[in-house]
Amino acid sequence: MHKIFYPDSVAVIGVSEQPDNLAANIIYNMLEFGYSGHIHAVGLRSGVAHGIPILTSVDCLPDGVDLAVILTPAVTVPALMEACGRKGIRRAVIESGGFAEFSEAGRRLEEQVSQAARRWDMRFVGPNCISVVNMENGLCLPFPRLDRRAAKRGPVSVLAQSGGVSITYLLMLSEVGLGVNKVVSIGNKADLDEVDYLKYFLDDPGTEIICLYLESIEEGRRLIELAASSPKPVIVHKANTAQASAQIAFSHTAALANDDRIVSAALRQANVARAASFDDAMALAQGFALPPVRGGDLIVVSRSGGHAVIAADVVEARGFRLTPIPDDFLAEVRTMFRADVIALANPLDLGVIFDFDLYGQIVEECLRALHPDALLLVHTFSTGPESEMSRRLARRVRELSQTLGNTMALCAFAQREDVESLKPEAGPMVFTEIEAAVRALAASRDRHRRSARLLPLPSAPAQRPHEVEAVLAHAGVLTTDLALGLCGIFDIPSAEWAVVEDVESARVAASMIGYPVALKVLSPDVLHKSDVGGVVLGIEGAEALQAEWAALLARVEQRVPGARIGGVLVQQMLAGGCEVILGGKRDPSFGPVVMFGLGGVYVEVFEDVAFRLAPLTREDAEEMIAEVRGSRLLRGVRGEPPLDVEAVTAALMALSRLLAECPEVMEVDVNPLLVFEHGVAAVDARVIVRGQKT
Amino acid sequence: MHKIFYPDSVAVIGVSEQPDNLAANIIYNMLEFGYSGHIHAVGLRSGVAHGIPILTSVDCLPDGVDLAVILTPAVTVPALMEACGRKGIRRAVIESGGFAEFSEAGRRLEEQVSQAARRWDMRFVGPNCISVVNMENGLCLPFPRLDRRAAKRGPVSVLAQSGGVSITYLLMLSEVGLGVNKVVSIGNKADLDEVDYLKYFLDDPGTEIICLYLESIEEGRRLIELAASSPKPVIVHKANTAQASAQIAFSHTAALANDDRIVSAALRQANVARAASFDDAMALAQGFALPPVRGGDLIVVSRSGGHAVIAADVVEARGFRLTPIPDDFLAEVRTMFRADVIALANPLDLGVIFDFDLYGQIVEECLRALHPDALLLVHTFSTGPESEMSRRLARRVRELSQTLGNTMALCAFAQREDVESLKPEAGPMVFTEIEAAVRALAASRDRHRRSARLLPLPSAPAQRPHEVEAVLAHAGVLTTDLALGLCGIFDIPSAEWAVVEDVESARVAASMIGYPVALKVLSPDVLHKSDVGGVVLGIEGAEALQAEWAALLARVEQRVPGARIGGVLVQQMLAGGCEVILGGKRDPSFGPVVMFGLGGVYVEVFEDVAFRLAPLTREDAEEMIAEVRGSRLLRGVRGEPPLDVEAVTAALMALSRLLAECPEVMEVDVNPLLVFEHGVAAVDARVIVRGQKT
């Protein structure tokens, strides 16, 4: 991978002297960005492009070229890869489109490209991408011409599943004063994919912050595990969340849609910040470029009372606390004032002070005396002398941040060029919207308050309890006794039950369990036992049991003639309790996933559910429960006693272990799990095991 | 008011030759902005400021000055107002701070200013404001120096309850290419307030879009009625929503916090767009400057597939439908292409076309053939020749919009100066974030799909049913019979009930109503009848009634000795039904307000409630019910039959009439109202009538 970003020599293939030749733009860009290695050009006809002679064949290249950049029609690419391989080139960037994203024929071409690469042990970027930029060595391979002045070298590396978006990130990160280190547009990721690039960026010394734009995540689990292990801040901008965009994303880079709720949950577990838009990604990147915000105490200093009011709204919405300002501090600040017409508080409204040097002094006082976790300076100024004073203030604020180690954001409202002129002074501290500034500080706070806590999947499932094997010998939808039994093995309690074969045993079982009881038919041929009359609830005594037993078997035989009956479950009927639902499934990209919600209408009407990747830590399970709004019902509302949330937490963690340790289990639902003041009990469970039968 | 924005002559008071004199900046600004009238200066010492001689007294001014602008210490202002009045000046802008926003002494000064104004029949802006700008005549009264180049004349007038914010709006509206017409910072609004300015802007021919920044709304009802009557789009940016900002807003412009849920509901009823931030306000203003979006069909054309994916996400989230593109249209578009490597759909991904003139052609084809309600062109380009082509494209798009009348937004991703260069070509159509562009189109669609529908409050409550008078003769908390009776007068049905004085009558009543029944004590001395054991539910027969009657009266006498008993309510117990809550209160700013929510835990746990100003139109009532997520339960979930939503709608409208026609009613709660398959019934009601007793 290193040679893709740091090649000593590059051959651009597809170059001509035509003024609209795109491959020639790649040469232009490398010259413009001052690429330090050798540049070669290959094309159909000989000639010269930007001073570089065009060779008419890959074979004419000197030996030892590190990287080929291919931008020719798709049909020519497999042969060119072959030629590069023969020539000893081991790295390629394929910018051409017309592959799997376009048609079935394109998909076959892409397969041929991959075969050629495998044959020659080559690794490649793309196809269908805009490619690679490295600001450290001037490697600049995009085919649209770029302006060196619009690209700033900085700490952020970008991985984008869209060429256009990769360029937007390059420009925007430069514009906000942060700058980029490396950019790669990954295209169809036929060979190298997001996991490979992320791994590289994690090790790359030039990369301090990583920003991923993704439209599909195929190796979700690996990506998330990698991100969770990252000491560098990772930002993910995941698009393709809507029904409508699924189609364009597919034709665009052959992407499939993910379940967005699972994506969000996984990113949360990996302590990765999710960007909702370009602007949001900029705010996050700026936030991560500042010294970490280690707590929730914030001071707002503002020149305008109105801006202070807006800031206070936003600060509260983002969960910060405005540090109370002690009276003696205010008394001291007042002595610096030219006029005494503003009531002092936090936000500190400095509207009556016209000497901005005093602002710096007050900010310093605030930091030294009050030790906030962050300080937001909202500044507004006019052009001319105020602008010059404001640049001095920006410089002062940056110096204070450096010497005192405090986190500060400077949100500036002024004419655009005056705001721009602050960026060279205070770099990524400068914001142009209060929301963005507070978002940045909040993202930093959240990142440092939490930590990634993704438990690894057990690699050897053999450690699981041996009783599991007998249950998982069955495939398809398990009967209720097996499903509840599997839950029981993993310590998810259920309402007491027994399997019986005849009515006599049923009566014995019921009397041991205690009435009322329920009867549930067990049959591999009955998928939905309620639907065929296979469930009777609330049987109050032995006489009723006798009658219901016969009626139940008759109904099942009538509705599913010849159904094999594996017995009947006699189960204790529990009174009271609050219904919750635990669920689990295997996501094709992210692997085992756990779901939690309240039973009844809450899941359906309020879509009030939480997801996490399994296995869960205790913190995850607690967070899932807290995330579901309706779970306040578990904590006791309207004077009712609080229920056993601890037991729910344990059951969730148990279910997550079940999924993690039993890769054969495709789906599991415990619905409902009843929650009591003391303990929980599963009343019904459904488990699907991988296999032929369904 | 006209003379405030269009004075023929202005006297600035507080001017000196000192370089940091703020009043002199006002003169500077008027000269910079080319003010067309006469400028006079008044100060303590004679001299010259920016070429204008400084007179040492108001008395030295010529007669007939239209407007005084005062920027002197607060203590001097009452006398100066007096002097202005004597001199015949009838309009003033008081920019000085140090009044009610600062201290009790300041509040008294403000009162003196108002008295002087009343004495001389003067109207004034402020105090404590940055003041007035009129781009039509160059009137530019803010005391910070402004740069004429940073201010663009345009269609938007701004009213801001913060001087700093008013300047931010001026700069931002200019920067996005829209421009402002008039700006006023209203300060403490001791005389002229938001209602006055809004009224003026509604009539002002130069104002096409109105933008209000407010921190407190004191005359909410008047403001909303006025906004609802406006044919011009109105945008409200309401800050001061957080606990923390309430304090700074108060010290800042003497503002009190409003109930934000009521503010949002009222703005919705008036069809006013609420801006969440400066950026959001810009998007809204841009949206309203475009031709109206009359439906939900949208076409996205994009150069980059990634931008198209993001756009599709945003478009779906904002409720637009991507117009399906017929195959023959695609076939036609393909013939324009240089290469055939992109699958065509909506979004239309034009990544392979490098001639932007073709983009214009394709956009035109889309508009002419497919008639979308709006078209979003997401464009990305490099500097140099592509930038020049993009300017041509922007021009073309603007022309198309003008000739065909279509609504289009152009979202551009490029180097900043290249994006800037599009604004002169396509003005307010240019956006720099996809979210902002789609937000703008959605706001326009919503404005034109809805209409303001605020019913007036009845001015003569005498039209109400005469039975009301007997009920409202009581003050304080009404007993349940009176409360249910009042509901009944307004056609809110309740579970059948009768008031009885002795147990014999209770038995007669119960047998007529039919068992089971409830007993509820009626006493002006019992505010919470359940708390004192004054309610018995589920009485199944005459014997139980007899026993419970005695027990109930004994309990009440024990807990509230000497309580006056006004009888006992015998009420039918209804089985089943879904509980909802109707509520109403009188907001100090917005007047009568109605609330709707589902009973039980939904209101408490999910805060799932809707508010509207009374009286309600049918549409409002229906919208309130739809807004409450839990009301899906009324429509039948899990195979249950749908309940009588129509009857709930009628009850809500009835409650709103009750509030509107009975200004004596301070609070009313119907809790619960039971909803059945056919009909609704109030089970309990609580009404508070204005008066001495509570």
Side-chain angles (χ1 to χ4, degrees), chain B residues 413-429:
Chain B
F413 294 102
Q415 287 180 225
R416 174 163 279 180
E417 60 265 39
D418 290 325
V419 174
E420 288 305 311
S421 78
L422 302 183
K423 289 183 183 167
E425 306 296 344
M429 301 171 78

Side-chain angles (χ1 to χ4, degrees), chain A residues 338-499:
Chain A
R338 162 180 157 152
D340 186 29
V341 294
I342 289 282
L344 287 176
N346 182 9
L348 202 53
D349 177 349
L350 304 184
V352 291
I353 307 183
F354 288 82
D355 175 0
F356 299 165
D357 293 342
L358 272 178
Y359 284 32
Q361 221 170 305
I362 291 169
V363 164
E364 182 169 353
E365 279 302 309
C366 284
L367 296 177
R368 286 191 190 277
L370 305 173
H371 311 290
D373 298 302
L375 185 144
L376 168 64
L377 174 57
V378 186
H379 188 44
T380 175
F381 57 98
S382 56
T383 202
E386 285 203 353
S387 181
E388 178 51 44
M389 264 201 296
S390 298
R391 280 190 288 279
R392 211 155 61 221
L393 174 61
R395 205 150 54 231
R396 174 77 182 277
V397 164
R398 186 218 201 102
E399 284 161 10
L400 280 175
S401 174
Q402 282 164 349
T403 52
L404 301 178
N406 285 95
T407 315
M408 282 186 277
L410 169 57
C411 188
F413 293 102
Q415 288 180 226
R416 174 164 279 180
E417 61 264 40
D418 290 326
V419 174
E420 287 307 311
S421 77
L422 302 182
K423 290 181 183 166
E425 306 296 344
M429 301 171 77
V430 180
F431 294 84
T432 56
E433 253 281 18
I434 292 167
E435 281 73 14
V438 181
R439 164 74 164 140
L441 297 173
S444 171
R445 175 200 61 200
D446 292 346
R447 179 173 145 75
H448 292 95
R449 197 152 59 178
R450 294 166 52 94
S451 56
R453 40 162 195 254
L454 193 65
L455 295 180
L457 278 177
S459 48
Q463 292 165 358
R464 65 194 185 189
H466 69 277
E467 309 98 293
V468 164
E469 311 310 330
V471 177
L472 298 185
H474 300 77
V477 179
L478 299 187
T479 50
T480 309
D481 54 331
L482 292 174
L484 288 173
L486 184 62
C487 289
I489 295 170
F490 283 90
D491 296 329
I492 301 171
S494 49
E496 206 181 329
W497 54 271
V499 176

Side-chain angles (χ1 to χ4, degrees), chain A residues 102 145 147 150 168 175 240-243 245 252 279 306-307 313 316 340 382 415-416 420 433 604 638, chain B residues 102 145 147 150 168 240-243 245 252 279 306-307 313 316 340 382 415-416 420 433 604 638:
Chain A
F102 181 60
R145 286 197 188 187
D147 181 347
T168 299
E175 208 170 280
N240 189 18
T241 56
Q243 297 295 336
S245 44
H252 166 50
D279 281 346
H307 292 142
D313 285 348
E316 184 181 274
D340 186 29
S382 56
Q415 288 180 226
R416 174 164 279 180
E420 287 307 311
E433 253 281 18
E604 283 173 53
R638 302 182 149 195
Chain B
F102 180 61
R145 286 197 188 188
D147 181 348
T168 299
N240 188 20
T241 57
Q243 297 295 337
S245 43
H252 166 50
D279 282 345
H307 292 141
D313 285 348
E316 183 180 275
D340 187 31
S382 58
Q415 287 180 225
R416 174 163 279 180
E420 288 305 311
E433 254 280 16
E604 283 173 54
R638 303 182 150 194

Side-chain angles (χ1 to χ4, degrees), chain A residues 20 22 97-98 101-102 143-147 149-150 162-165 167-168 171-172 175 213 215 237-245 247-249 251-252 276-280 304-310 312-313 316 322 334 338 340-349 354 380-383 386 413-417 420 423 432-435 599-602 604-608 629-633 637-638, chain B residues 20 22 97-98 101-102 143-147 149-150 162-165 167-168 171-172 175 213 215 237-245 247-249 251-252 276-280 304-310 312-313 316 322 334 338 340-349 354 380-383 386 413-417 420 423 432-435 599-602 604-608 629-633 637-638:
Chain A
D20 61 352
L22 293 176
E101 83 284 4
F102 181 60
F143 56 79
R145 286 197 188 187
L146 294 177
D147 181 347
R149 291 163 308 152
S162 155
V165 168
I167 301 296
T168 299
L171 294 176
M172 289 185 88
E175 208 170 280
Y213 169 80
E215 291 169 1
H237 182 181
K238 169 74 175 60
N240 189 18
T241 56
Q243 297 295 336
S245 44
Q247 196 194 338
I248 182 84
S251 70
H252 166 50
S277 64
F278 290 117
D279 281 346
D280 197 39
S304 148
H307 292 142
V309 169
I310 294 171
D313 285 348
E316 184 181 274
L322 288 167
R334 271 183 212 273
R338 162 180 157 152
D340 186 29
V341 294
I342 289 282
L344 287 176
N346 182 9
L348 202 53
D349 177 349
F354 288 82
T380 175
F381 57 98
S382 56
T383 202
E386 285 203 353
F413 293 102
Q415 288 180 226
R416 174 164 279 180
E417 61 264 40
E420 287 307 311
K423 290 181 183 166
T432 56
E433 253 281 18
I434 292 167
E435 281 73 14
V601 297
Y602 297 96
E604 283 173 53
V605 175
F606 291 96
E607 290 160 25
D608 186 25
R629 289 193 80 176
S631 66
R632 289 188 229 170
L633 292 174
V637 286
R638 302 182 149 195
Chain B
D20 61 352
L22 293 175
E101 83 285 1
F102 180 61
F143 57 78
R145 286 197 188 188
L146 294 178
D147 181 348
R149 291 163 308 152
S162 155
V165 168
I167 301 296
T168 299
L171 294 175
M172 290 186 87
E175 209 170 278
Y213 168 80
E215 291 169 0
H237 182 180
K238 169 72 174 63
N240 188 20
T241 57
Q243 297 295 337
S245 43
Q247 198 194 340
I248 182 85
S251 70
H252 166 50
S277 65
F278 289 117
D279 282 345
D280 196 39
S304 148
H307 292 141
V309 169
I310 294 171
D313 285 348
E316 183 180 275
L322 288 167
R334 271 183 212 273
R338 159 176 160 153
D340 187 31
V341 294
I342 289 282
L344 288 176
N346 181 11
L348 201 54
D349 178 348
F354 288 83
T380 175
F381 57 96
S382 58
T383 202
E386 286 203 350
F413 294 102
Q415 287 180 225
R416 174 163 279 180
E417 60 265 39
E420 288 305 311
K423 289 183 183 167
T432 56
E433 254 280 16
I434 292 167
E435 282 72 14
V601 297
Y602 298 96
E604 283 173 54
V605 174
F606 291 95
E607 291 160 24
D608 186 26
R629 289 194 81 173
S631 65
R632 291 189 226 171
L633 291 174
V637 288
R638 303 182 150 194

